[in-house]
Amino acid sequence: MNQVWVDGELASQVSPLDRGLAYGDGLFATMRFSGGELQFLTAHLQRLTQGARRLGLDWCAGDALITLIKQLATTHVDGCLKLILTRGVGGRGYTAPEQASVTEVLSLSTIPGHYGRWQTEGISLKTSEVMLAGQPLLAGIKHLNRLEQVLIKSKQLPVGFDDWLVMDRKHTVIESSMANLFLVGEHCVFTPDISMAGVAGMMREQVIYALIELGFDLHVGEVTYSQLSRCRHAFITNSLFGIVDINRIDEIKFERAPFTDSIRHSLNLNL
């Protein structure tokens, strides 16, 4: 299914002078579609627009791009679309050109097959030795500089583990290598503060809304490793697998949360 469109045209390459390639100067979103409909398109585009503004990119989704996205979703049963925005071609050095022409790269691919099993069986996380640096100017944005994640993923997971738990340089818990983290305590739900490091995932936002609607007391703040053992349930979220329960982190075991199935159903996240 792998196909790529560059600035609305079916293509296989971008300019070798593109700033996205040279400097990681851009951002992206990964969007799931199912049954001919792309999920949370408005929320994805709003988050991209906000991220573009933070990077100083003058961009919002045009009618042609939105039409192409919707056409691809309706002509395929299930899959994902990845939309990359770069500052385009210009400038030999780091200084951005005064008049940037944003490059839009849209790619179509399948959903990883094991995500359905993860939803059903849950997963186990192992703490990574690679820690995230703090940078409030970039925190939350799904920017193209993903070298920290590349280094995290370059390490082979021990047998029995499915993904990495990632902390920052202060040894506070931030996320998994590919998803946002939620922890359920005695009376409330915690999700890590990502104002210094990490990604503000679109699905994180949707699940926060769903939890509040269910009446949960939700706290966003610093999460220490020691807090993990005081929580009964834990789960991760991203735009492709929706919600996945965590069975254990290192040697800390968790029970499946009784409400994740209902949120998965209400948000149409089942694979």
Side-chain angles (χ1 to χ4, degrees), residues 75-206:
T75 54
H76 297 81
V77 178
D78 294 289
C80 67
L81 287 168
K82 183 175 183 178
L83 176 57
I84 297 174
L85 308 175
T86 81
R87 204 179 300 270
V89 175
R92 186 207 62 78
Y94 293 136
T95 303
E98 291 185 8
Q99 299 295 325
S101 179
V102 173
T103 301
E104 299 172 345
V105 181
L106 186 65
S107 58
L108 175 69
S109 58
T110 56
I111 301 287
H114 60 276
Y115 282 178
R117 175 173 53 81
W118 280 14
Q119 281 191 353
T120 302
E121 300 177 2
I123 64 168
S124 297
L125 302 182
K126 181 70 176 175
T127 300
S128 173
E129 295 178 355
V130 180
M131 296 181 181
L132 301 177
Q135 174 48 272
L137 295 178
L138 296 176
I141 303 173
K142 208 166 186 180
H143 54 74
L144 297 180
N145 287 274
R146 310 317 304 171
L147 286 178
E148 289 175 322
Q149 284 69 33
V150 170
L151 291 173
I152 291 165
K153 286 289 199 180
S154 69
K155 306 291 185 179
Q156 185 173 354
L157 280 161
V159 174
F161 290 92
D162 306 284
D163 193 20
W164 296 102
L165 178 76
V166 185
M167 297 190 288
D168 64 11
R169 300 295 297 176
K170 298 189 300 178
H171 295 270
T172 54
V173 175
I174 302 296
E175 57 194 6
S176 89
S177 77
M178 67 177 92
N180 290 117
L181 177 69
F182 289 82
L183 299 159
V184 186
E186 189 67 28
H187 303 293
C188 63
V189 179
F190 301 88
T191 190
D193 173 31
I194 49 175
S195 61
M196 292 294 293
V199 172
M202 184 282 306
M203 190 56 62
R204 174 181 183 264
E205 181 180 11
Q206 302 303 317

